[in-house]
Amino acid sequence: MDPSAPPASTNPEAAPPLADQTPPQIPGKERLDEAVGKAVGGTVIPSDIRPSDLPTTTKLDTEKASLPSDQQPQQAKDSDEKAAKGDVNKKGAKTVGAYPVQTRYGWSEVYKSVDGAQGEFREKSIWMEDFARSVLYGSFWNSAAVAFTIPVVCYVFFKLGGGFVSLVLIIAFAGTYYKNTVRRFKRNTRDDIMRELIRNSISGEPESTEWLNNFLSKFWLIYEPVLSSMIVGIADGIMVDFTPGFCESLRLTQFTLGTKAPRVENIKTYPGSDPDMVEMDWRISFTPTDTEDMTARQLRTQVNPKICLTIRFGGKLIGAGVPVLVEDVSLKGDVNVRLKLIPTFPHIKFLEFAFIERPTIDYALKPVGGDTLGMDIAHIPGLQNFIRDTTHWVLEGMMYQPHYYRLDLEQMMTGATSLNAAVGVVQFTVYNARDLKNVELVGNSDPYVKIRLGNRPELASTSVQNDTLNPVWNETNIILVSTLEETIFLDVFDKNVPKDRQLGEASFDLRSLLKEPIQDDVWCKVKRNHKERGAVRIRAAYFPIEKPQPTEDGSEPIPVESNSGILTISVPQAKDISQNSRIKSQCRVLFNGREVYQSKNVLGTNPGYWTDVDVFVTDLKAAQVNVELISDGDIIGTYGVSGTKLLENSDKILKNTEDKVEFVSMQGGTGAAKLKITAVWKPILMGDGIDPAAHKPAFGVIRVKIMAARDLRNVEAIGGDSDPYVVIVGAGGVGRGRTKTIDSDLNPEWNEIHYVAVGSMKQFFELEVFDFQKRTKDRPLGETSFKVSEVIEELPNDGGYVALSPVNRWAPLKLKDEFKGELHYEISFFPSLKIAQEATEQENAALPPGTIRASDALDYDSGILAVHLVGAELDRSGTYCEFYVDSDFYQYKSRLQKSRDPKWNEMFDLFVKELDYAKLVIQVKDKSGVEGSSIVGTVTTSIRTLLDSNTAEGVTLPILDKTDERGTIKLKLGFKPVPIDLLPVERLDNMGNLNVTLVRATNLPAADRSGASDPYFVFRANGKEVFKSEVVKKELNPVYNESFVVPINSRVEDELTFEIFDWNQIGTAKSLGTGTVDLRNIQLVLPNEFKIPIQSKYNTGEVQVRLRFMPEFLSSNKRKSGFGATFIAQGGQAVAGGVLDVTGAVGKGALKGVGAVGKGVLGGLSAGATVVGLKKEKTFVSNFETTATGESGTLTIRVIEADGLKGVDRGGMSDPYCKVTVGTKDVLKTKVKKETITPSWNESAVISVDGKPVAINFLVKDYNTIGGSKDLGGCDLSPWDYIQPGSQTKADFWAPLGGTGGRLHIAFEFQPTA
């Protein structure tokens, strides 16, 4: 074969490649292509296509020759030149025109003739034939012509002098013609009638196949021993992997299918099927125990089917084998058989079959007693049905319609392609499992998954997840496949000693990848004994081998360039490996140090191994192939080569170049050993899919508002209702958020908002509702899911993402195919801003919409924190990490690493609502998973501080266990802003700890006869008592100075009230009045003093309180268990209890299950902040109103500098920044200037004004890493007080700051609308 010629097409239905890549359009050819595909000769032609319509090589060659010379491909010209010279190709076939001579033979070439320079076809028939066919049956005009011609001929002969002899000869000729015509007519008529009868018969009635049964009865005696041996070999290999722990071994010690052959009772064909498809229904039966149709000789030698499975218990010394017999097997059923025809050898693409309906199966099962005492347990009521149903369940996914079992005959019978040659790879990821069956008496199962393809041995297995029924693996394997007509089985096991126990089996049909090559988040049901035992979540992606791309000029196809693919390594032979001619050796192939193949022992000094092994390569440039020859356990020769060099030499061998090396020298052994090794590269384009676990940067966040549920299922066994909570589950089964638990309520209301980062339009999240259990595993109540594509639209040409309308719905909850209850939630999307590249980060460079400079990223409050968990150095092994951002439920959980210096190298995204207050908590845990003892150490840090100290190399943080350092952890960080308007109820400064100091009360009403009272105060948060003061005797103006701390979940929604009582020694206390503390208008961090009037029938008195609110995240566990308090007496000493039962004392700072969030009630304050009991600091309070007006235009606001600010840090300095607000919108936030009271910013913002009154608020704050920023002063201004449109458009001035003093340098510049 000419190496320069393009290879034959791999499409079995495609015609041989033409020299001219643009074939001419010929009448009828398109109709033929539509019916049966491209073909030349030997193809079944539909009846509606005339032979004259068919293309032929002569016609194609003539059409090609008619083209101008400059339009003919060079290859075509060369072919014509060779044809003129009678060129002979390498196979000895003379070529003329487009095709070799052999392809010009056949019925189509014999039937047609060529006439004219253009090679147009002329049919043999004439116009009378077409006319006659439409009038009468048959060619009647032939006889009519003879009847007319004979008298004319006789007359002419007589006129010319012919005699009687001429007349006799003419009449004899006419009689013979008549006789032959009548005979042919009868024969054709009989054939036509028979053909029509047969056609009707096979369309409606089955045909007998006794001839086939006669053949099978003789062939079966020869083939049955071979078939039985093959079945035993396959079955023993499978049973080794599935031997239960209580057995030593399972073996088929006896297997025969008997001497009576199976029968094909009848066959029904479908002549109306596709032209290249043969479809039949076969009724088959295998009844070896039926002896009615057997001869006397067959009865004397009859052997019935018998299968003996020996189960061996115990060890080798005292072990015993128990035989289980299956006898008298019979089968009867209808099978649909389909054959796909192709024009190339072996002319049958595949054979596939499936049972039309469940077959009838019978047997005799004797599990004990053997042949002598064995009893058929199928007679036990119910057992036979159970075994039969189990058999049908196993087979229904393999060979019951619509599932067909396929045999690729082309691949099996073509010598050039191995049956096991890979055609692509399936990237198979096992994410997680849920609700697995627990088989342990104490604790939970330790599940792992074995992956196998069809009935082959195990291909791979996941890691073992200890003590869980909802394991998370997130492990990916590459599976080489030779066909997609197979099924991947996932066998779930529980790790045990000595034998693992199977929890169930799940399956995934690879044929589904033909329609959808990449399938993510697929749940496969785990079944055992026909019952669901949970589900496994997987991802499957199919990547086929890329074929060379054809060229326009018809030259050699261009191979696809790819660094990933399948490397087929061939080691056919070695020579001169030893001087001992009786040496036995085997070949071992290693790829990148891992053994991928080991041959059997081969005798001789020049052994032929004939090894072909396929390996998947992710990086061809880094591939290394090693071959070792081993004899009696000793290595007698080695050879190593890189993958690229091996392919280079293989290409030279294929092209037979002079510098090829057929046998390479091996090291070791005799020193003279040589090895022949070649390789073939099959490229696969995987792109980003080569690592499905690779981090995809987030482009926005989804806001999930979980509002309520109704009509939930009640799973409480004894009294009460379920205690529901909701978990947001993302990709891989990882939880991304969790609500608080509502006690004993089937219609709970949560009204919580959560955020999850989004990195793919294909993502979807599940909302799983659980019932909280204190002592046992939480029980599922149902689940629902949503796709992120419901609220996101991807713009074309990488234009980014925009938000669609929010989705608000009541979604039904599903649990095990049953619906019960509904969940009310709302989802909406907020895209992130893009960070400009360094090349566009010039000061004056115009940035695209939605893009900011990297230096401005931290000026935004909300955003996505991109975390790269590099690794750690610890004092123990077997650890993993959990990451929390202002939550008591982790937003990310890393993989378990067994090393003391784990290298996680994992990337993920976390959402930060308020950068100034947000804290990152990292809990490092060991694998024990025991609550309280599993935490190795904790990292707690402010996210803004973390980002400020972040470098290109990352940051290293200490891991602390109280005060002991347990190691360090390394992170790399990034921040991508998300412009989002947080609701007041979800801001972090809406939540925190409120320090309340009851100072005094004045003018209280007198409740005693003496004209005085014995007052004491009771404070309540949301109706629940949180503090009770001391009693002050005989006083209407009592002084208390008592303090306490109360957690506030929401300053917007929570209510803090007090009630004054007059203490009575005898009888109940008398109420003197009530009051309410306004939580919404509390100044953060700084002390606030209020005088609150007492509401009572006396309408007299007021109470003086000092409040200080410290914004801080509060655990949802706190919120569930109610409010507690830590009482602080004068001087700040804790004297009372009221400690929160779940999270620990307020002030200790350690939240159980979450980690430290702050270092106490007063933790996070700057050094200059005022503590309880000190003098109140001045602060700026805005009450600004203006009526000044102007014109429409744009206003530039520039904050230049400030001076005279107060230093509130320890060194007498501050870290000031300025925030500019117009109405309720922040328009400018300057950078923080470290350690100064005279900052210089010179930053500006541009706003649009419409001439109406506008108030601009300037607020200068001191930035604190821990805790909130502190007000230094502020002012309110109207630009129309300084700008006079038409006369004065600029203003530059110093404005005094209210609060702690100082002044601010401001400039306005107005540009009117044109």
Side-chain angles (χ1 to χ4, degrees):
M1 178 179 179
D2 187 1
S4 63
S9 173
T10 57
N11 184 0
E13 297 183 13
L18 300 178
D20 187 356
Q21 294 298 318
T22 308
Q25 298 298 320
I26 301 175
K29 181 173 182 298
E30 293 181 356
R31 299 170 60 202
L32 177 63
D33 291 344
E34 182 179 358
V36 296
K38 297 178 181 179
V40 176
T43 304
V44 177
I45 306 300
S47 59
D48 64 336
I49 297 180
R50 296 178 301 169
S52 60
D53 292 337
L54 295 176
T56 65
T57 56
T58 306
K59 197 168 189 177
L60 295 179
D61 292 341
T62 306
E63 185 72 14
K64 174 176 66 64
S66 65
L67 296 175
S69 60
D70 58 345
Q71 296 183 14
Q72 294 190 14
Q74 183 62 37
Q75 184 179 357
K77 298 177 182 178
D78 295 342
S79 300
D80 293 339
E81 293 175 1
K82 294 180 180 180
K85 298 177 181 179
D87 186 27
V88 179
N89 60 19
K90 291 186 178 181
K91 291 186 177 181
K94 185 176 180 180
T95 58
V96 180
Y99 298 122
V101 172
Q102 294 95 315
T103 62
R104 295 177 175 268
Y105 299 152
W107 63 268
S108 59
E109 294 296 329
V110 175
Y111 183 84
K112 300 180 179 68
S113 61
V114 179
D115 185 17
Q118 299 299 323
E120 294 297 333
F121 289 104
R122 178 178 60 82
E123 294 187 10
K124 295 180 180 180
S125 62
I126 61 177
W127 65 271
M128 179 63 73
E129 180 178 354
D130 291 334
F131 170 76
R133 283 178 180 173
S134 62
V135 178
L136 297 174
Y137 183 82
S139 301
F140 86 101
W141 57 270
N142 292 321
S143 300
V146 171
F148 174 79
T149 304
I150 292 299
V152 174
V153 171
C154 291
Y155 175 78
V156 172
F157 265 86
F158 276 110
K159 284 293 183 182
L160 295 177
F164 181 77
V165 176
S166 299
L167 180 61
V168 172
L169 290 176
I170 293 173
I171 294 175
F173 172 80
T176 304
Y177 174 81
Y178 174 78
K179 178 181 179 181
N180 292 337
T181 302
V182 170
R183 184 180 69 250
R184 291 171 181 173
F185 174 77
K186 291 180 179 180
R187 182 188 63 195
N188 292 338
T189 302
R190 182 175 59 252
D191 291 344
D192 291 341
I193 294 173
M194 290 299 299
R195 183 166 56 252
E196 291 299 320
L197 291 176
I198 293 174
R199 180 178 300 173
N200 295 333
S201 176
I202 63 175
S203 298
E205 298 178 2
E207 299 177 74
S208 175
T209 55
E210 286 304 318
W211 64 270
L212 179 60
N213 294 324
N214 183 46
F215 166 77
L216 287 177
S217 65
K218 298 178 180 180
F219 179 72
W220 181 254
L221 298 177
I222 301 173
Y223 182 66
E224 189 276 337
V226 179
L227 178 61
S228 297
S229 178
M230 292 173 55
I231 294 175
V232 170
I234 295 173
D236 282 348
I238 296 174
M239 286 189 292
V240 169
D241 295 328
F242 292 93
T243 302
F246 55 84
C247 300
E248 181 185 356
S249 65
L250 293 175
R251 293 293 304 276
L252 284 175
T253 53
Q254 191 173 2
F255 187 96
T256 179
L257 295 176
T259 55
K260 185 177 180 181
R263 287 178 53 84
V264 179
E265 302 294 346
N266 53 62
I267 297 178
K268 178 182 178 181
T269 61
Y270 294 91
S273 58
D274 294 339
D276 58 347
M277 180 71 73
V278 177
E279 184 174 2
M280 299 172 284
D281 287 345
W282 290 29
R283 173 162 293 179
I284 61 173
S285 65
F286 180 60
T287 55
T289 58
D290 185 4
T291 60
E292 294 296 328
D293 57 344
M294 298 178 66
T295 65
R297 181 178 178 181
Q298 290 174 335
L299 289 173
R300 286 196 299 269
T301 59
Q302 180 194 13
V303 175
N304 284 333
K306 184 177 182 181
I307 303 172
C308 181
L309 173 66
T310 300
I311 306 174
R312 186 174 181 82
F313 299 93
K316 295 182 179 180
L317 297 179
I318 58 174
V322 177
V324 177
L325 293 179
V326 179
E327 297 179 329
D328 301 339
V329 179
S330 64
L331 171 69
K332 181 176 291 187
D334 293 332
V335 181
N336 181 259
V337 181
R338 299 193 293 199
L339 293 170
K340 175 75 171 181
L341 306 179
I342 55 176
T344 58
F345 180 81
H347 306 296
I348 298 177
K349 171 66 176 175
F350 60 78
L351 162 67
E352 62 181 8
F353 60 89
F355 282 98
I356 300 175
E357 56 187 14
R358 288 187 173 186
T360 302
I361 303 174
D362 195 14
Y363 54 87
L365 177 60
K366 302 176 181 179
V368 292
D371 289 324
T372 306
L373 302 176
M375 181 190 71
D376 185 5
I377 64 171
H379 300 313
I380 299 177
L383 185 58
Q384 185 180 23
N385 293 336
F386 172 76
I387 298 175
R388 184 188 63 243
D389 293 342
T390 302
T391 304
H392 289 316
W393 175 75
V394 173
L395 295 177
E396 65 183 357
M398 299 172 56
M399 55 181 65
Y400 288 2
Q401 282 188 341
H403 302 289
Y404 280 79
Y405 190 85
R406 176 175 293 189
L407 296 175
D408 195 328
L409 300 181
E410 181 188 28
Q411 192 178 54
M412 294 171 62
M413 299 179 65
T414 302
T417 305
S418 172
L419 179 61
N420 297 321
V423 297
V425 297
V426 172
Q427 190 180 58
F428 200 77
T429 302
V430 182
Y431 286 136
N432 65 300
R434 66 183 181 192
D435 303 331
L436 297 179
K437 180 69 174 179
N438 189 13
V439 296
E440 298 287 350
L441 296 177
V442 179
N444 294 319
S445 300
D446 307 319
Y448 70 96
V449 177
K450 289 183 178 180
I451 303 172
R452 58 185 174 89
L453 191 60
N455 292 325
R456 300 182 216 172
E458 171 191 335
L459 296 175
S461 63
T462 67
S463 59
V464 178
Q465 300 297 317
N466 294 320
D467 194 30
T468 179
L469 300 179
N470 297 278
V472 177
W473 292 288
N474 287 327
E475 298 180 17
T476 301
N477 292 280
I478 299 294
I479 302 175
L480 277 69
V481 293
S482 57
T483 175
L484 289 182
E485 302 294 329
E486 292 192 271
T487 301
I488 290 181
F489 291 95
L490 306 172
D491 300 312
V492 186
F493 283 87
D494 172 37
K495 188 68 176 179
N496 277 294
V497 178
K499 288 288 185 179
D500 301 341
R501 288 180 287 186
Q502 189 173 17
L503 302 179
E505 179 185 85
S507 62
F508 177 78
D509 193 346
L510 292 180
R511 282 177 288 190
S512 62
L513 296 176
L514 292 172
K515 295 182 179 179
E516 190 177 355
I518 298 179
Q519 300 181 31
D520 203 356
D521 288 306
V522 178
W523 282 103
C524 302
K525 295 181 180 180
V526 178
K527 293 185 178 181
R528 184 171 175 81
N529 297 332
H530 307 291
K531 296 181 180 179
E532 283 193 31
R533 301 298 186 186
V536 177
R537 177 185 269 171
I538 60 98
R539 175 187 186 271
Y542 174 60
F543 300 95
I545 293 173
E546 296 295 330
K547 299 176 182 178
Q549 299 297 321
T551 57
E552 295 182 358
D553 59 357
S555 59
E556 183 176 356
I558 302 174
V560 176
E561 295 291 336
S562 175
N563 201 36
S564 60
I566 297 175
L567 184 66
T568 301
I569 305 170
S570 299
V571 184
Q573 187 182 8
K575 64 181 182 179
D576 301 331
I577 64 173
S578 175
Q579 298 178 354
N580 180 12
S581 61
R582 304 300 299 172
I583 187 173
K584 290 184 178 181
S585 62
Q586 53 185 175
C587 172
R588 187 168 69 150
V589 181
L590 297 95
F591 179 76
N592 288 343
R594 177 176 59 91
E595 181 180 319
V596 294
Y597 179 80
Q598 183 168 336
S599 71
K600 297 180 180 180
N601 282 318
V602 181
L603 182 66
T605 59
N606 300 312
Y609 301 111
W610 306 110
T611 298
D612 285 320
V613 56
D614 290 330
V615 292
F616 177 71
V617 182
T618 58
D619 185 2
L620 180 60
K621 297 178 181 178
Q624 182 70 25
V625 179
N626 293 85
V627 179
E628 297 177 351
L629 300 185
I630 304 172
S631 178
D632 295 331
D634 298 328
I635 298 177
I636 60 174
T638 61
Y639 174 72
V641 64
S642 66
T644 53
K645 289 185 178 180
L646 178 59
L647 289 172
E648 289 175 3
N649 187 58
S650 300
D651 188 55
K652 293 176 182 178
I653 295 175
L654 180 64
K655 295 181 179 179
N656 198 23
T657 60
E658 295 182 357
D659 57 345
K660 67 179 180 180
V661 180
E662 285 210 40
F663 283 86
V664 295
S665 299
M666 305 190 71
Q667 297 179 353
T670 63
K674 293 183 179 297
L675 182 75
K676 185 173 183 179
I677 177 173
T678 59
V680 176
W681 178 244
K682 304 172 184 177
I684 293 177
L685 297 178
M686 300 186 70
D688 296 336
I690 198 166
D691 184 9
H695 175 65
K696 298 178 179 59
F699 53 77
V701 294
I702 295 286
R703 174 192 277 171
V704 184
K705 185 175 182 181
I706 302 175
M707 290 173 276
R710 62 190 178 195
D711 195 24
L712 296 178
R713 65 180 74 234
N714 189 7
V715 294
E716 296 294 338
I718 304 177
D721 294 326
S722 299
D723 306 320
Y725 67 88
V726 182
V727 177
I728 304 174
V729 180
V734 178
R736 306 307 299 266
R738 172 177 169 171
T739 69
K740 61 186 176 182
T741 301
I742 306 296
D743 289 333
S744 191
D745 195 345
L746 301 181
N747 299 281
E749 294 184 2
W750 292 283
N751 291 320
E752 294 189 20
I753 297 176
H754 299 263
Y755 292 87
V756 290
V758 180
S760 171
M761 286 290 292
K762 295 182 179 180
Q763 276 185 266
F764 72 89
F765 293 88
E766 292 186 339
L767 303 176
E768 300 181 358
V769 185
F770 289 90
D771 170 48
F772 175 77
Q773 296 291 313
K774 293 182 179 179
R775 296 178 178 85
T776 60
K777 173 192 170 185
D778 295 348
R779 290 175 286 193
L781 301 179
E783 65 180 31
T784 185
S785 63
F786 64 86
K787 297 179 179 179
V788 300
S789 57
E790 296 181 57
V791 291
I792 306 176
E793 180 182 359
E794 183 177 4
L795 299 178
N797 302 323
D798 294 329
Y801 304 85
V802 295
L804 301 177
S805 300
V807 174
N808 187 311
R809 63 163 67 104
W810 281 93
L813 296 174
K814 182 180 180 181
L815 180 65
K816 295 182 178 179
D817 298 327
E818 294 182 1
F819 292 92
K820 173 67 174 176
E822 293 179 306
L823 181 67
H824 188 196
Y825 67 89
E826 180 183 281
I827 56 174
S828 53
F829 173 68
F830 298 89
S832 62
L833 297 177
K834 297 180 180 179
I835 305 298
Q837 301 296 326
E838 294 182 2
T840 62
E841 275 210 356
Q842 292 149 15
E843 190 66 28
N844 297 324
L847 298 177
T851 305
I852 63 171
R853 295 181 174 86
S855 57
D856 298 332
L858 297 185
D859 294 340
Y860 291 81
D861 289 335
S862 303
I864 298 170
L865 181 67
V867 183
H868 180 188
L869 175 59
V870 180
E873 294 183 0
L874 302 167
D875 59 356
R876 67 180 68 191
S877 60
T879 56
Y880 63 94
C881 299
E882 294 178 348
F883 288 77
Y884 305 79
V885 175
D886 301 326
S887 173
D888 60 349
F889 186 80
Y890 62 80
Q891 282 87 35
Y892 184 78
K893 181 179 180 181
S894 72
R895 297 192 304 267
L896 179 70
Q897 294 282 359
K898 297 182 179 180
S899 172
R900 285 176 174 260
D901 55 343
K903 300 295 188 293
W904 281 290
N905 195 31
E906 299 179 24
M907 290 182 283
F908 51 93
D909 297 305
L910 306 172
F911 181 67
V912 178
K913 288 196 291 188
E914 293 182 89
L915 194 57
D916 289 338
Y917 303 113
K919 294 178 181 178
L920 174 66
V921 176
I922 307 172
Q923 283 190 351
V924 182
K925 296 185 176 182
D926 62 25
K927 61 182 179 181
S928 65
V930 181
E931 186 177 359
S933 64
S934 63
I935 300 178
V936 176
T938 304
V939 177
T940 305
T941 180
S942 165
I943 294 181
R944 180 176 282 277
T945 302
L946 205 58
L947 291 172
D948 288 339
S949 59
N950 184 43
T951 64
E953 290 74 24
V955 294
T956 301
L957 304 173
I959 301 172
L960 302 178
D961 180 12
K962 296 182 180 178
T963 58
D964 299 331
E965 184 172 328
R966 308 301 296 271
T968 59
I969 189 170
K970 185 176 181 180
L971 306 173
K972 292 183 179 180
L973 304 166
F975 185 75
K976 187 180 294 185
V978 177
I980 183 172
D981 293 329
L982 297 176
L983 302 176
V985 295
E986 60 177 326
R987 299 184 66 91
L988 288 177
D989 58 10
N990 187 51
M991 178 188 298
N993 288 306
L994 179 65
N995 189 304
V996 182
T997 300
L998 175 60
V999 181
R1000 63 173 60 87
T1002 58
N1003 299 324
L1004 296 181
D1008 297 338
R1009 295 179 180 179
S1010 60
S1013 296
D1014 305 323
Y1016 68 93
F1017 281 71
V1018 173
F1019 283 78
R1020 298 183 179 91
N1022 295 334
K1024 185 173 182 178
E1025 182 178 325
V1026 295
F1027 174 73
K1028 181 177 179 182
S1029 72
E1030 298 290 334
V1031 178
V1032 179
K1033 299 292 185 67
K1034 309 295 183 181
E1035 184 62 58
L1036 297 180
N1037 298 286
V1039 177
Y1040 295 94
N1041 285 324
E1042 297 182 34
S1043 300
F1044 63 94
V1045 176
V1046 58
I1048 300 297
N1049 295 315
S1050 173
R1051 292 190 297 123
V1052 176
E1053 298 177 348
D1054 287 357
E1055 185 180 58
L1056 180 64
T1057 61
F1058 62 82
E1059 187 172 5
I1060 311 168
F1061 290 93
D1062 173 54
W1063 177 81
N1064 291 315
Q1065 188 172 5
I1066 301 176
T1068 59
K1070 181 179 180 181
S1071 177
L1072 300 179
T1074 61
T1076 301
V1077 179
D1078 187 3
L1079 300 177
R1080 299 191 179 194
N1081 296 322
I1082 299 177
Q1083 179 70 26
L1084 305 181
V1085 180
L1086 299 178
N1088 300 259
E1089 290 192 6
F1090 296 95
K1091 290 184 178 180
I1092 303 172
I1094 299 174
Q1095 305 293 328
S1096 68
K1097 63 181 180 179
Y1098 306 104
N1099 291 325
T1100 180
E1102 63 180 8
V1103 177
Q1104 182 179 352
V1105 294
R1106 184 180 299 121
L1107 306 176
R1108 186 176 204 177
F1109 185 76
M1110 294 296 301
E1112 183 178 356
F1113 167 74
L1114 301 180
S1115 166
S1116 63
N1117 290 329
K1118 282 185 179 180
R1119 286 175 264 168
K1120 174 188 173 182
S1121 28
F1123 293 92
T1126 299
F1127 307 137
I1128 303 178
Q1130 296 183 11
Q1133 300 294 324
V1135 297
V1139 178
L1140 296 176
D1141 58 344
V1142 176
T1143 59
V1146 176
K1148 292 184 179 180
L1151 299 180
K1152 184 175 183 181
V1154 181
V1157 184
K1159 295 185 178 179
V1161 176
L1162 304 179
L1165 289 174
S1166 61
T1170 305
V1171 296
V1172 177
L1174 299 184
K1175 182 179 178 181
K1176 172 186 147 186
E1177 292 283 356
K1178 293 181 180 180
T1179 185
F1180 173 75
V1181 179
S1182 175
N1183 295 302
F1184 182 77
E1185 293 183 1
T1186 181
T1187 59
T1189 59
E1191 294 180 359
S1192 299
T1194 57
L1195 179 68
T1196 302
I1197 307 170
R1198 184 174 296 277
V1199 179
I1200 303 173
E1201 58 185 327
D1203 64 9
L1205 301 180
K1206 182 174 182 179
V1208 294
D1209 292 336
R1210 292 181 179 179
M1213 295 294 178
S1214 296
D1215 304 322
Y1217 68 94
C1218 182
K1219 198 172 188 179
V1220 182
T1221 304
V1222 178
T1224 59
K1225 182 178 180 181
D1226 294 339
V1227 297
L1228 176 64
K1229 182 179 179 182
T1230 68
K1231 297 180 180 179
V1232 177
K1233 300 297 181 179
K1234 297 289 186 179
E1235 298 182 354
T1236 181
I1237 57 175
T1238 59
S1240 177
W1241 295 291
N1242 198 27
E1243 298 181 34
S1244 62
V1246 179
I1247 64 172
S1248 297
V1249 291
D1250 56 3
K1252 296 180 180 179
V1254 57
I1256 304 177
N1257 174 260
F1258 298 82
L1259 185 60
V1260 181
K1261 291 189 173 187
D1262 169 59
Y1263 170 74
N1264 289 312
T1265 301
I1266 302 177
S1269 300
K1270 182 178 180 181
D1271 290 356
L1272 297 180
C1275 62
D1276 285 318
L1277 302 173
S1278 171
W1280 307 128
D1281 293 336
Y1282 301 88
I1283 298 294
Q1284 301 297 326
S1287 59
Q1288 183 178 353
T1289 58
K1290 296 183 180 181
D1292 190 320
F1293 57 94
W1294 288 85
L1297 297 175
T1300 60
R1303 59 178 186 163
L1304 184 65
H1305 189 184
I1306 304 171
F1308 290 148
E1309 183 175 352
F1310 176 72
Q1311 181 69 36
T1313 302

